[in-house]
Amino acid sequence: MPKPRNIAAVKEITALFQKSNAAVLTEYRGLSVAQITNLRAALGPDTTYAVLKNTLTTIAAKEAGVTAFEGQLSGPSAIAFITGDPVEAAKGLRDFARTNPQLVVKSGMLDGRAISAADVTALADLESREVLLAKVAGVLKASQAKAAALFQAPLSKTVRTVEALREKQAGSEAA
């Protein structure tokens, strides 16, 4: 018979899976508590980095309908549950792993789909959502500016032609 604290833990992990739009499975073997605390700070406020028991996590993942981590929950595992921008969290994991090679990214889940460790690294190489949106807005604004210039070009050309004719007539009348 399962213990009440294990049942509560499974419910809590299931809730984390359900409210997260992304999750990254890591192995933290050899990291100190201080290093894990630094990692949690580096991941940002929208990410919960939890060290979990593998059997409870397996049960919770099944209850939440997550299949991304099947067969990978072995050894000292921790999961970064991401509710905000997954790019920011992936960058935090990548940067922390550069200085602490004990942290190993095993795999991940993004919007319900399984992704590999290489995909998590590729996600970290993307620019943040805000930067990408700013670039799209810049492209749209540039397109509108080009269109406005094209619409104004015939009008300004007509004005310059009329002005040139007026100057030519004024010059011929003076002569």
Side-chain angles (χ1 to χ4, degrees):
M1 176 138 186
K3 296 179 182 175
R5 71 171 182 254
N6 287 347
I7 293 171
V10 168
K11 285 183 181 178
E12 186 178 335
I13 297 167
T14 303
L16 284 171
F17 273 122
Q18 290 172 340
K19 75 176 187 175
S20 300
N21 59 347
V24 178
L25 176 65
T26 64
E27 182 178 316
Y28 66 93
R29 186 185 320 264
L31 291 177
S32 68
V33 173
Q35 289 172 316
I36 290 176
T37 303
N38 291 339
L39 173 59
R40 285 184 174 123
L43 292 176
D46 295 330
T47 303
T48 302
Y49 189 74
V51 175
L52 305 166
K53 290 186 176 183
N54 292 333
T55 53
L56 299 179
T57 305
T58 302
I59 295 167
K62 284 181 184 174
E63 286 184 13
V66 175
T67 59
F69 305 129
E70 285 182 3
Q72 296 181 6
L73 290 165
S74 62
S77 300
I79 298 178
F81 295 99
I82 306 161
T83 56
D85 186 12
V87 174
E88 180 183 333
K91 285 182 185 201
L93 285 168
R94 178 197 61 196
D95 295 343
F96 187 84
R98 283 182 182 163
T99 58
N100 299 286
Q102 299 95 337
L103 181 73
V104 177
V105 174
K106 290 182 172 182
S107 66
M109 173 197 72
L110 181 63
D111 294 327
R113 294 178 303 141
I115 59 173
S116 67
D119 294 335
V120 174
T121 304
L123 189 63
D125 292 337
L126 288 176
E127 293 174 335
S128 71
R129 183 177 190 273
E130 289 78 20
V131 171
L132 292 174
L133 288 174
K135 285 185 176 184
V136 167
V139 167
L140 292 175
K141 184 178 178 183
S143 297
Q144 290 175 350
K146 281 183 183 179
L150 284 173
F151 292 134
Q152 287 180 340
L155 182 60
S156 62
K157 186 176 179 182
T158 304
V159 169
R160 286 192 305 267
T161 304
V162 168
E163 188 62 32
L165 286 172
R166 187 176 301 150
E167 288 176 8
K168 185 177 179 182
Q169 279 184 340
S172 65
E173 288 178 2

